[in-house]
Amino acid sequence: MDLSVVILVEFLYAIASLILISAGLAVIFGMMKVINLAHGEFMMMGGYATITAVNAGVNIFFAMLVIAPITIGLIGLIIERLIIRRLYGRLIDTMLATWGLSLFFIGLAKMIFGNTTTGVSTPIPGLSIGDYQINGYNFFIIIIGFIVLALMLFVLKGTRAGLIARGTMQIPEMAAALGCSPDRVYLVTFFCGAALSGLAGAILAPLVGLTPSSGATYIAEAFITVIAGGPALIIGLLSSASFFGTINQLFTFAISPIVGEVMLLVSAVILLRLLPQGITSKFFKGKF
Amino acid sequence: MTEVVLETHALTMRYGGVTATKNVDFKLYAYELRCLIGPNGAGKSTFFKCISGLETPTDGEILMLGSETTFWTAHQIASLGVGIKTQVPNVMDGLTVFENIWLAARRQHNTPEANRKTEEILDRLTLRDIAHRHVGHLAHGERQHVELGLVAVGDPKIVLLDEPAAGMSSKDIEQMTKIIHELNKAAAIIIVEHDMQFIQSIANRVTVFHRGEILIEDHVDRVMSDPTVRNVYLGKKS
Amino acid sequence: MIDSLWRDSVGAVLGIALLIWVAPLFISPYTLTILIIYGMLALSLGMIWGFGGILCFGQAAFFGLGAYAYVIAAINIGESTLPMLIAVLVPAIFASLLGAMMFYGRLNDVYLAVITLVVTLILFKFMNSTAGPEYIIGKARLGGFNGIPGFPTLNMPGNPNAYIWGDTYFYFCAVTLGVVFLITTLILQSSFGRIAVGIRENETRMSLLGYDIRARKTVLFTIGAAIAGLAGALFANWAEIVTPNLFSLSQSAEIIIWCIVGGLGTRLGPILGAAGLSLLKFLLGQQTLIDNLLITGLILVLFVLILPKGIVPTLNDLWSLTIGQRIIRHRRRPRRRTRRKPPRD
């Protein structure tokens, strides 16, 4: 009984962290058809923003949930204005330019923070279920992961901004038809996407030793979760995160964490071969 | 003249819940020139995509030049001796007219023979003057002619043309008609078309599609005067 | 066509001669060797991307596979001739399987990029995790993130004790690059290469003409991987150690940057881009003020924004717009009067 609870928590944790890792990328890709290869570096910067704020005496939850998203969102704004907007509609070129940005930010972080590992301690103590000890912070990640998902669902379904966003996802010209300049829609989208990436990086920072090249560990998982999710933003995110999270945990339990990670990537290759348009192109059609 | 070169049995294509073509039985005889008409969404373009291998039908059977081609891909069907022209001009924009046609000729012939065939087609379709210009820089009508050149150089036995007259000037259409008649000497031709004037000037037999099925198949003049056809298609248009 | 092949051969021989006799006056042969190896690696991607339209985000995978295949084979066999061959074959076979899976699945550009990237990451992660003693192939321990040092380097065929190293190895690499360049030229000017360009321009049309684009792309992808594998084996001999970093994302990114900066659709562009940027990196590596990656990243962003065609094609355009045009006009006019036949073939 206790063991099954622990296992359930581990699976939920794997799924929630995949959702967190991919949400920012999914928003930007879903809305703008831009694949942001600097996504991992946005997360890395979110982590550094948190650590810097905590070292300056700010409460860690405030740093993670407010300071990091806003800082990275603002960086996203600048990037959108300077680079991304010049490349709309040129998918491969945006991929290349954001890859360049990713290298740029790694270099910048190395110069500012040095090529060493830094970190903060987890703010929530561990707790025990029966004979087993689990990381209390995992619960926090599960809760935040699903709050992010719920929030996205609410914004998309319940607000006027969400209506415009849904229209733009279907037909890019829709924003203009709804009386809103597409330029601004893209700007806001990029801000939100970058802020979500910053949030994810901040929340995961206490779990990992942060280095300037930490972003690379996330980008592949985020990338395939979003691509495998397919055209429906939220259902796609949820279904592919569940699929990959489960696979990852299964092999982690059965063999080792590294095999879990490799199997996640292998299953992604197979999945894309079978469903080249993503999971939601075949199932959950027409949802979002 | 009675040899059947293309035949479909109960050809059905469904996209999700929409049935685009339903139980289409179709026959094309050697050296025939057939037009497919019908209102938008009648299923003629889907039918065209199925027989040219761009889509795989959900159900039914396609026989072409003695082979069953139902599940063949486009390149296999093309290798059989079928020349295909799609709705939008589908050409290699970054290459010259010569290179475009050469690539089409090279599939069946070795390099010197392909060079010779290309020169021949350049003269036959009067493309000589623009032979070394990039296709991307040409006008719409010229691009359509280049694409017909790509089809013609393969000496096809069946030619499938999707809206060849779309967006062309009357002078272009005149030349297009000449080329089509010349192709027709060696090949059976299917043309999917909207332009009724063009159809009347070129076709003999016409197949009318309506709601995914064949409504009527007859001589062009009789089809034009048929009240059912007028009702579903021509009545709305003219 | 024959004319231009002749011209390219002369050009390649002249280029290699320049590289062997003049370049060492300015740059050490040791550094030049790695520039040559990176040039070859860039050429492998420049060929499949610039001429075949296949954007592979994981060309580093084949580079790394070639290096590892050479090292593992060399440790087990004890000499280098057969391992060099294996280093070309292993990535080629791997690429043919991967390519067949992708191209027969009709995946588009973006998914191709994702899959090649992910496959490179799998190799990177796997190689990093092989530190334990259970990961051993024959006599070769994979060594995880420490890599594999200490293996037999290149020797004269049939004589395992006559090592090729130092300046001789530099000459060997220079000549190999020349040969690979000519082979690439031959392939690109053959019907196969011209058809590949046709596929780059319009896949649907080429398949409607009856070409099996899936098979052709797989073959081209395989050739590119074979060249990258050869470059990997040469790299292993130069560095005398192989590490999982060969498979890293920044290595993949670098190959793409070389091609973009040098210019796609040319053979010389990627080679020059690789040599120039790697040289810049070596020079920058000697200072600590500005980080290397920052500059590499900035270069990539700026080129995508300002000069997406790359240096060599832009110079070509400039040349034909200014000086070249005058010369051509000068030379063409009398010719047109005498011969009415178009100049082609």
mmCIF file of all heavy atoms in Angstrom, chain B residues 73-75 78-79 84 86 90-92 94 98-99 102-104 106-107 111 132 147 150, chain C residues 106 191 194-195 197-198 201-202 204-212 214 342 344-345:
data_model
loop_
_atom_site.group_PDB
_atom_site.id
_atom_site.type_symbol
_atom_site.label_atom_id
_atom_site.label_comp_id
_atom_site.label_asym_id
_atom_site.label_seq_id
_atom_site.Cartn_x
_atom_site.Cartn_y
_atom_site.Cartn_z
ATOM 1 N N THR B 73 2.434 4.401 -54.666
ATOM 2 C CA THR B 73 2.725 5.806 -54.409
ATOM 3 C C THR B 73 2.874 6.540 -55.744
ATOM 4 O O THR B 73 2.940 5.915 -56.802
ATOM 5 C CB THR B 73 4.026 5.957 -53.617
ATOM 6 O OG1 THR B 73 5.046 5.292 -54.345
ATOM 7 C CG2 THR B 73 3.918 5.361 -52.237
ATOM 8 N N ALA B 74 2.937 7.875 -55.654
ATOM 9 C CA ALA B 74 2.958 8.699 -56.860
ATOM 10 C C ALA B 74 4.105 8.313 -57.792
ATOM 11 O O ALA B 74 3.928 8.244 -59.005
ATOM 12 C CB ALA B 74 3.054 10.166 -56.479
ATOM 13 N N HIS B 75 5.282 8.051 -57.210
ATOM 14 C CA HIS B 75 6.407 7.803 -58.122
ATOM 15 C C HIS B 75 6.276 6.480 -58.849
ATOM 16 O O HIS B 75 6.717 6.340 -59.973
ATOM 17 C CB HIS B 75 7.748 7.928 -57.379
ATOM 18 C CG HIS B 75 8.149 6.717 -56.611
ATOM 19 N ND1 HIS B 75 7.846 6.557 -55.275
ATOM 20 C CD2 HIS B 75 8.826 5.612 -56.985
ATOM 21 C CE1 HIS B 75 8.318 5.396 -54.868
ATOM 22 N NE2 HIS B 75 8.917 4.801 -55.875
ATOM 23 N N ALA B 78 3.821 7.138 -61.647
ATOM 24 C CA ALA B 78 4.473 7.907 -62.697
ATOM 25 C C ALA B 78 5.388 7.015 -63.529
ATOM 26 O O ALA B 78 5.448 7.134 -64.758
ATOM 27 C CB ALA B 78 5.258 9.061 -62.078
ATOM 28 N N SER B 79 6.085 6.080 -62.867
ATOM 29 C CA SER B 79 7.009 5.205 -63.594
ATOM 30 C C SER B 79 6.283 4.305 -64.580
ATOM 31 O O SER B 79 6.861 3.796 -65.529
ATOM 32 C CB SER B 79 7.789 4.313 -62.633
ATOM 33 O OG SER B 79 8.244 5.032 -61.548
ATOM 34 N N ILE B 84 1.549 13.528 -64.757
ATOM 35 C CA ILE B 84 0.604 14.195 -63.864
ATOM 36 C C ILE B 84 0.937 15.672 -63.733
ATOM 37 O O ILE B 84 2.090 16.047 -63.534
ATOM 38 C CB ILE B 84 0.639 13.542 -62.458
ATOM 39 C CG1 ILE B 84 0.287 12.057 -62.568
ATOM 40 C CG2 ILE B 84 -0.323 14.248 -61.511
ATOM 41 C CD1 ILE B 84 0.839 11.218 -61.456
ATOM 42 N N THR B 86 -0.349 18.908 -61.443
ATOM 43 C CA THR B 86 -1.213 19.255 -60.313
ATOM 44 C C THR B 86 -1.834 20.633 -60.515
ATOM 45 O O THR B 86 -1.503 21.345 -61.462
ATOM 46 C CB THR B 86 -0.405 19.263 -59.007
ATOM 47 O OG1 THR B 86 0.736 20.062 -59.219
ATOM 48 C CG2 THR B 86 0.011 17.880 -58.613
ATOM 49 N N ASN B 90 3.586 22.990 -60.322
ATOM 50 C CA ASN B 90 4.502 22.275 -59.455
ATOM 51 C C ASN B 90 5.788 22.071 -60.230
ATOM 52 O O ASN B 90 5.937 21.113 -60.970
ATOM 53 C CB ASN B 90 3.866 20.923 -59.107
ATOM 54 C CG ASN B 90 4.031 20.586 -57.665
ATOM 55 O OD1 ASN B 90 5.004 20.994 -57.053
ATOM 56 N ND2 ASN B 90 3.095 19.851 -57.120
ATOM 57 N N VAL B 91 6.698 23.052 -60.111
ATOM 58 C CA VAL B 91 7.933 23.000 -60.886
ATOM 59 C C VAL B 91 9.102 23.302 -59.955
ATOM 60 O O VAL B 91 8.908 23.727 -58.829
ATOM 61 C CB VAL B 91 7.915 24.029 -62.045
ATOM 62 C CG1 VAL B 91 7.102 23.521 -63.198
ATOM 63 C CG2 VAL B 91 7.380 25.360 -61.563
ATOM 64 N N MET B 92 10.313 23.070 -60.440
ATOM 65 C CA MET B 92 11.489 23.351 -59.630
ATOM 66 C C MET B 92 11.875 24.814 -59.843
ATOM 67 O O MET B 92 12.584 25.150 -60.791
ATOM 68 C CB MET B 92 12.646 22.424 -60.023
ATOM 69 C CG MET B 92 12.582 21.050 -59.405
ATOM 70 S SD MET B 92 11.232 20.016 -59.988
ATOM 71 C CE MET B 92 11.922 19.324 -61.466
ATOM 72 N N GLY B 94 13.881 26.963 -58.510
ATOM 73 C CA GLY B 94 15.260 27.443 -58.461
ATOM 74 C C GLY B 94 16.094 27.016 -59.669
ATOM 75 O O GLY B 94 17.257 27.378 -59.761
ATOM 76 N N PHE B 98 15.423 24.483 -68.897
ATOM 77 C CA PHE B 98 16.162 23.340 -69.443
ATOM 78 C C PHE B 98 16.356 22.282 -68.365
ATOM 79 O O PHE B 98 16.062 21.104 -68.559
ATOM 80 C CB PHE B 98 17.525 23.809 -69.973
ATOM 81 C CG PHE B 98 18.320 22.717 -70.635
ATOM 82 C CD1 PHE B 98 18.325 22.581 -72.017
ATOM 83 C CD2 PHE B 98 19.052 21.811 -69.874
ATOM 84 C CE1 PHE B 98 19.047 21.564 -72.624
ATOM 85 C CE2 PHE B 98 19.765 20.790 -70.472
ATOM 86 C CZ PHE B 98 19.770 20.670 -71.859
ATOM 87 N N GLU B 99 16.835 22.708 -67.191
ATOM 88 C CA GLU B 99 17.125 21.751 -66.116
ATOM 89 C C GLU B 99 15.860 21.041 -65.646
ATOM 90 O O GLU B 99 15.870 19.842 -65.386
ATOM 91 C CB GLU B 99 17.792 22.465 -64.936
ATOM 92 C CG GLU B 99 19.224 22.848 -65.222
ATOM 93 C CD GLU B 99 19.796 23.819 -64.201
ATOM 94 O OE1 GLU B 99 19.055 24.701 -63.718
ATOM 95 O OE2 GLU B 99 20.977 23.714 -63.899
ATOM 96 N N TRP B 102 15.024 18.552 -68.291
ATOM 97 C CA TRP B 102 16.069 17.524 -68.299
ATOM 98 C C TRP B 102 15.841 16.518 -67.183
ATOM 99 O O TRP B 102 15.965 15.310 -67.371
ATOM 100 C CB TRP B 102 17.445 18.170 -68.149
ATOM 101 C CG TRP B 102 18.572 17.204 -68.282
ATOM 102 C CD1 TRP B 102 19.192 16.816 -69.432
ATOM 103 C CD2 TRP B 102 19.214 16.486 -67.215
ATOM 104 N NE1 TRP B 102 20.185 15.909 -69.150
ATOM 105 C CE2 TRP B 102 20.216 15.676 -67.795
ATOM 106 C CE3 TRP B 102 19.036 16.449 -65.837
ATOM 107 C CZ2 TRP B 102 21.036 14.852 -67.046
ATOM 108 C CZ3 TRP B 102 19.856 15.619 -65.084
ATOM 109 C CH2 TRP B 102 20.844 14.829 -65.684
ATOM 110 N N LEU B 103 15.478 17.017 -66.011
ATOM 111 C CA LEU B 103 15.237 16.120 -64.876
ATOM 112 C C LEU B 103 14.084 15.166 -65.175
ATOM 113 O O LEU B 103 14.112 14.010 -64.774
ATOM 114 C CB LEU B 103 14.929 16.936 -63.611
ATOM 115 C CG LEU B 103 16.134 17.550 -62.918
ATOM 116 C CD1 LEU B 103 15.695 18.481 -61.805
ATOM 117 C CD2 LEU B 103 17.053 16.472 -62.357
ATOM 118 N N ALA B 104 13.083 15.675 -65.885
ATOM 119 C CA ALA B 104 11.962 14.811 -66.241
ATOM 120 C C ALA B 104 12.395 13.772 -67.262
ATOM 121 O O ALA B 104 11.985 12.607 -67.205
ATOM 122 C CB ALA B 104 10.810 15.644 -66.784
ATOM 123 N N ARG B 106 15.454 12.611 -67.716
ATOM 124 C CA ARG B 106 16.532 11.751 -67.238
ATOM 125 C C ARG B 106 16.027 10.465 -66.586
ATOM 126 O O ARG B 106 16.744 9.485 -66.527
ATOM 127 C CB ARG B 106 17.406 12.545 -66.246
ATOM 128 C CG ARG B 106 18.580 11.800 -65.658
ATOM 129 C CD ARG B 106 19.582 11.396 -66.730
ATOM 130 N NE ARG B 106 20.701 10.641 -66.174
ATOM 131 C CZ ARG B 106 20.661 9.338 -65.916
ATOM 132 N NH1 ARG B 106 19.561 8.659 -66.163
ATOM 133 N NH2 ARG B 106 21.708 8.726 -65.410
ATOM 134 N N ARG B 107 14.784 10.460 -66.114
ATOM 135 C CA ARG B 107 14.312 9.268 -65.422
ATOM 136 C C ARG B 107 14.260 8.052 -66.338
ATOM 137 O O ARG B 107 14.507 6.932 -65.930
ATOM 138 C CB ARG B 107 12.938 9.486 -64.798
ATOM 139 C CG ARG B 107 12.615 8.423 -63.755
ATOM 140 C CD ARG B 107 11.218 8.532 -63.260
ATOM 141 N NE ARG B 107 10.238 8.459 -64.326
ATOM 142 C CZ ARG B 107 9.901 7.349 -64.970
ATOM 143 N NH1 ARG B 107 10.460 6.215 -64.666
ATOM 144 N NH2 ARG B 107 8.997 7.381 -65.926
ATOM 145 N N THR B 111 22.062 10.143 -69.943
ATOM 146 C CA THR B 111 22.291 11.587 -70.027
ATOM 147 C C THR B 111 22.264 12.147 -71.460
ATOM 148 O O THR B 111 21.542 13.111 -71.718
ATOM 149 C CB THR B 111 23.601 11.933 -69.304
ATOM 150 O OG1 THR B 111 23.482 11.470 -67.964
ATOM 151 C CG2 THR B 111 23.857 13.421 -69.297
ATOM 152 N N HIS B 132 16.924 29.022 -70.681
ATOM 153 C CA HIS B 132 17.928 29.181 -69.634
ATOM 154 C C HIS B 132 17.531 30.192 -68.575
ATOM 155 O O HIS B 132 18.365 30.715 -67.857
ATOM 156 C CB HIS B 132 19.286 29.487 -70.253
ATOM 157 C CG HIS B 132 19.787 28.310 -71.036
ATOM 158 N ND1 HIS B 132 20.257 27.176 -70.429
ATOM 159 C CD2 HIS B 132 19.794 28.068 -72.362
ATOM 160 C CE1 HIS B 132 20.570 26.283 -71.354
ATOM 161 N NE2 HIS B 132 20.290 26.803 -72.535
ATOM 162 N N GLU B 147 5.410 23.050 -67.045
ATOM 163 C CA GLU B 147 4.959 21.834 -66.390
ATOM 164 C C GLU B 147 4.395 20.836 -67.403
ATOM 165 O O GLU B 147 4.601 19.634 -67.271
ATOM 166 C CB GLU B 147 3.925 22.153 -65.299
ATOM 167 C CG GLU B 147 3.850 21.015 -64.298
ATOM 168 C CD GLU B 147 2.926 21.283 -63.139
ATOM 169 O OE1 GLU B 147 2.234 22.314 -63.156
ATOM 170 O OE2 GLU B 147 2.895 20.442 -62.228
ATOM 171 N N LEU B 150 7.253 19.054 -68.767
ATOM 172 C CA LEU B 150 7.708 17.988 -67.877
ATOM 173 C C LEU B 150 6.890 16.722 -68.107
ATOM 174 O O LEU B 150 7.400 15.612 -68.067
ATOM 175 C CB LEU B 150 7.562 18.401 -66.407
ATOM 176 C CG LEU B 150 8.361 19.577 -65.898
ATOM 177 C CD1 LEU B 150 8.134 19.772 -64.411
ATOM 178 C CD2 LEU B 150 9.825 19.361 -66.162
ATOM 179 N N ARG C 106 7.910 9.687 -44.446
ATOM 180 C CA ARG C 106 7.509 10.986 -45.000
ATOM 181 C C ARG C 106 7.441 12.076 -43.935
ATOM 182 O O ARG C 106 6.464 12.813 -43.838
ATOM 183 C CB ARG C 106 6.136 10.891 -45.673
ATOM 184 C CG ARG C 106 6.141 9.997 -46.887
ATOM 185 C CD ARG C 106 4.853 10.204 -47.641
ATOM 186 N NE ARG C 106 4.591 9.082 -48.520
ATOM 187 C CZ ARG C 106 3.462 8.919 -49.177
ATOM 188 N NH1 ARG C 106 2.488 9.789 -49.038
ATOM 189 N NH2 ARG C 106 3.298 7.900 -49.968
ATOM 190 N N SER C 191 24.179 12.676 -62.599
ATOM 191 C CA SER C 191 22.719 12.737 -62.630
ATOM 192 C C SER C 191 22.154 12.635 -61.231
ATOM 193 O O SER C 191 21.205 13.329 -60.878
ATOM 194 C CB SER C 191 22.166 11.592 -63.473
ATOM 195 O OG SER C 191 22.640 11.696 -64.774
ATOM 196 N N ARG C 194 22.240 15.987 -59.622
ATOM 197 C CA ARG C 194 21.307 16.943 -60.205
ATOM 198 C C ARG C 194 19.872 16.591 -59.816
ATOM 199 O O ARG C 194 19.034 17.477 -59.602
ATOM 200 C CB ARG C 194 21.491 16.980 -61.720
ATOM 201 C CG ARG C 194 22.877 17.528 -62.075
ATOM 202 C CD ARG C 194 23.285 17.215 -63.476
ATOM 203 N NE ARG C 194 22.670 18.119 -64.446
ATOM 204 C CZ ARG C 194 22.937 18.065 -65.749
ATOM 205 N NH1 ARG C 194 23.791 17.176 -66.215
ATOM 206 N NH2 ARG C 194 22.359 18.901 -66.581
ATOM 207 N N ILE C 195 19.605 15.292 -59.738
ATOM 208 C CA ILE C 195 18.266 14.875 -59.301
ATOM 209 C C ILE C 195 18.057 15.267 -57.833
ATOM 210 O O ILE C 195 16.975 15.705 -57.436
ATOM 211 C CB ILE C 195 18.087 13.357 -59.518
ATOM 212 C CG1 ILE C 195 18.021 13.066 -61.010
ATOM 213 C CG2 ILE C 195 16.821 12.858 -58.837
ATOM 214 C CD1 ILE C 195 18.241 11.636 -61.376
ATOM 215 N N VAL C 197 19.260 17.859 -56.364
ATOM 216 C CA VAL C 197 18.920 19.286 -56.350
ATOM 217 C C VAL C 197 17.452 19.476 -56.749
ATOM 218 O O VAL C 197 16.735 20.291 -56.167
ATOM 219 C CB VAL C 197 19.857 20.076 -57.283
ATOM 220 C CG1 VAL C 197 19.392 21.514 -57.427
ATOM 221 C CG2 VAL C 197 21.275 20.042 -56.743
ATOM 222 N N GLY C 198 17.001 18.685 -57.722
ATOM 223 C CA GLY C 198 15.591 18.730 -58.114
ATOM 224 C C GLY C 198 14.690 18.416 -56.941
ATOM 225 O O GLY C 198 13.669 19.069 -56.724
ATOM 226 N N GLU C 201 14.429 21.227 -54.615
ATOM 227 C CA GLU C 201 13.583 22.295 -55.128
ATOM 228 C C GLU C 201 12.104 21.960 -55.019
ATOM 229 O O GLU C 201 11.296 22.825 -54.719
ATOM 230 C CB GLU C 201 13.934 22.581 -56.590
ATOM 231 C CG GLU C 201 15.267 23.264 -56.781
ATOM 232 C CD GLU C 201 15.247 24.691 -56.241
ATOM 233 O OE1 GLU C 201 14.251 25.381 -56.466
ATOM 234 O OE2 GLU C 201 16.234 25.090 -55.594
ATOM 235 N N ASN C 202 11.729 20.734 -55.329
ATOM 236 C CA ASN C 202 10.305 20.383 -55.293
ATOM 237 C C ASN C 202 10.124 18.874 -55.205
ATOM 238 O O ASN C 202 10.169 18.166 -56.200
ATOM 239 C CB ASN C 202 9.605 20.921 -56.539
ATOM 240 C CG ASN C 202 8.104 20.835 -56.428
ATOM 241 O OD1 ASN C 202 7.577 20.000 -55.699
ATOM 242 N ND2 ASN C 202 7.410 21.685 -57.142
ATOM 243 N N THR C 204 7.419 17.046 -54.370
ATOM 244 C CA THR C 204 6.203 16.489 -54.959
ATOM 245 C C THR C 204 6.386 16.307 -56.461
ATOM 246 O O THR C 204 6.060 15.260 -57.016
ATOM 247 C CB THR C 204 5.015 17.432 -54.721
ATOM 248 O OG1 THR C 204 5.058 17.851 -53.368
ATOM 249 C CG2 THR C 204 3.720 16.753 -55.014
ATOM 250 N N ARG C 205 6.913 17.336 -57.113
ATOM 251 C CA ARG C 205 7.086 17.258 -58.555
ATOM 252 C C ARG C 205 8.020 16.114 -58.917
ATOM 253 O O ARG C 205 7.748 15.350 -59.834
ATOM 254 C CB ARG C 205 7.621 18.600 -59.071
ATOM 255 C CG ARG C 205 7.967 18.666 -60.530
ATOM 256 C CD ARG C 205 7.118 17.846 -61.433
ATOM 257 N NE ARG C 205 5.854 18.415 -61.837
ATOM 258 C CZ ARG C 205 4.878 17.710 -62.395
ATOM 259 N NH1 ARG C 205 5.007 16.409 -62.608
ATOM 260 N NH2 ARG C 205 3.749 18.285 -62.735
ATOM 261 N N MET C 206 9.104 15.968 -58.182
ATOM 262 C CA MET C 206 10.056 14.913 -58.523
ATOM 263 C C MET C 206 9.423 13.535 -58.349
ATOM 264 O O MET C 206 9.700 12.630 -59.122
ATOM 265 C CB MET C 206 11.320 15.033 -57.661
ATOM 266 C CG MET C 206 12.181 16.233 -58.018
ATOM 267 S SD MET C 206 12.728 16.276 -59.729
ATOM 268 C CE MET C 206 14.165 15.224 -59.643
ATOM 269 N N SER C 207 8.562 13.371 -57.347
ATOM 270 C CA SER C 207 7.938 12.057 -57.215
ATOM 271 C C SER C 207 6.877 11.869 -58.292
ATOM 272 O O SER C 207 6.674 10.767 -58.774
ATOM 273 C CB SER C 207 7.364 11.845 -55.816
ATOM 274 O OG SER C 207 6.309 12.728 -55.587
ATOM 275 N N LEU C 208 6.245 12.968 -58.716
ATOM 276 C CA LEU C 208 5.276 12.851 -59.810
ATOM 277 C C LEU C 208 5.983 12.548 -61.137
ATOM 278 O O LEU C 208 5.362 12.085 -62.085
ATOM 279 C CB LEU C 208 4.461 14.135 -59.954
ATOM 280 C CG LEU C 208 3.422 14.391 -58.864
ATOM 281 C CD1 LEU C 208 2.748 15.726 -59.073
ATOM 282 C CD2 LEU C 208 2.390 13.278 -58.847
ATOM 283 N N LEU C 209 7.268 12.849 -61.211
ATOM 284 C CA LEU C 209 8.026 12.493 -62.413
ATOM 285 C C LEU C 209 8.475 11.039 -62.368
ATOM 286 O O LEU C 209 9.019 10.522 -63.335
ATOM 287 C CB LEU C 209 9.256 13.396 -62.561
ATOM 288 C CG LEU C 209 8.992 14.855 -62.914
ATOM 289 C CD1 LEU C 209 10.294 15.626 -62.954
ATOM 290 C CD2 LEU C 209 8.283 14.957 -64.249
ATOM 291 N N GLY C 210 8.254 10.389 -61.224
ATOM 292 C CA GLY C 210 8.598 8.975 -61.135
ATOM 293 C C GLY C 210 9.863 8.687 -60.367
ATOM 294 O O GLY C 210 10.352 7.561 -60.369
ATOM 295 N N TYR C 211 10.434 9.699 -59.698
ATOM 296 C CA TYR C 211 11.630 9.440 -58.899
ATOM 297 C C TYR C 211 11.229 9.001 -57.500
ATOM 298 O O TYR C 211 10.322 9.572 -56.900
ATOM 299 C CB TYR C 211 12.475 10.712 -58.790
ATOM 300 C CG TYR C 211 13.153 11.095 -60.072
ATOM 301 C CD1 TYR C 211 12.740 12.213 -60.795
ATOM 302 C CD2 TYR C 211 14.205 10.329 -60.569
ATOM 303 C CE1 TYR C 211 13.364 12.567 -61.980
ATOM 304 C CE2 TYR C 211 14.825 10.680 -61.753
ATOM 305 C CZ TYR C 211 14.410 11.799 -62.454
ATOM 306 O OH TYR C 211 15.021 12.140 -63.614
ATOM 307 N N ASP C 212 11.937 7.999 -56.992
ATOM 308 C CA ASP C 212 11.676 7.539 -55.628
ATOM 309 C C ASP C 212 12.482 8.422 -54.681
ATOM 310 O O ASP C 212 13.644 8.146 -54.392
ATOM 311 C CB ASP C 212 12.090 6.079 -55.489
ATOM 312 C CG ASP C 212 11.658 5.507 -54.157
ATOM 313 O OD1 ASP C 212 11.256 6.299 -53.287
ATOM 314 O OD2 ASP C 212 11.718 4.288 -53.994
ATOM 315 N N ARG C 214 12.273 8.936 -51.555
ATOM 316 C CA ARG C 214 12.625 8.364 -50.251
ATOM 317 C C ARG C 214 13.964 7.648 -50.352
ATOM 318 O O ARG C 214 14.858 7.848 -49.533
ATOM 319 C CB ARG C 214 11.537 7.381 -49.819
ATOM 320 C CG ARG C 214 10.162 8.021 -49.783
ATOM 321 C CD ARG C 214 9.082 6.983 -49.674
ATOM 322 N NE ARG C 214 9.169 6.011 -50.766
ATOM 323 C CZ ARG C 214 8.345 4.985 -50.922
ATOM 324 N NH1 ARG C 214 7.361 4.812 -50.072
ATOM 325 N NH2 ARG C 214 8.487 4.152 -51.911
ATOM 326 N N PRO C 342 22.989 27.396 -77.558
ATOM 327 C CA PRO C 342 23.186 27.764 -76.154
ATOM 328 C C PRO C 342 24.436 27.088 -75.600
ATOM 329 O O PRO C 342 24.781 25.981 -76.007
ATOM 330 C CB PRO C 342 21.924 27.229 -75.469
ATOM 331 C CG PRO C 342 21.354 26.241 -76.398
ATOM 332 C CD PRO C 342 21.754 26.663 -77.767
ATOM 333 N N ARG C 344 25.171 25.597 -73.002
ATOM 334 C CA ARG C 344 25.090 24.460 -72.048
ATOM 335 C C ARG C 344 25.455 23.125 -72.700
ATOM 336 O O ARG C 344 25.074 22.840 -73.828
ATOM 337 C CB ARG C 344 23.655 24.389 -71.527
ATOM 338 C CG ARG C 344 23.457 23.305 -70.541
ATOM 339 C CD ARG C 344 22.189 23.585 -69.794
ATOM 340 N NE ARG C 344 22.490 24.047 -68.452
ATOM 341 C CZ ARG C 344 22.972 23.254 -67.510
ATOM 342 N NH1 ARG C 344 23.270 22.005 -67.760
ATOM 343 N NH2 ARG C 344 23.187 23.717 -66.300
ATOM 344 N N ASP C 345 26.187 22.316 -71.982
ATOM 345 C CA ASP C 345 26.584 20.953 -72.351
ATOM 346 C C ASP C 345 27.105 20.828 -73.768
ATOM 347 O O ASP C 345 26.442 20.331 -74.654
ATOM 348 C CB ASP C 345 25.401 19.976 -72.163
ATOM 349 C CG ASP C 345 25.027 19.888 -70.708
ATOM 350 O OD1 ASP C 345 25.679 19.142 -69.989
ATOM 351 O OD2 ASP C 345 24.076 20.603 -70.281
#
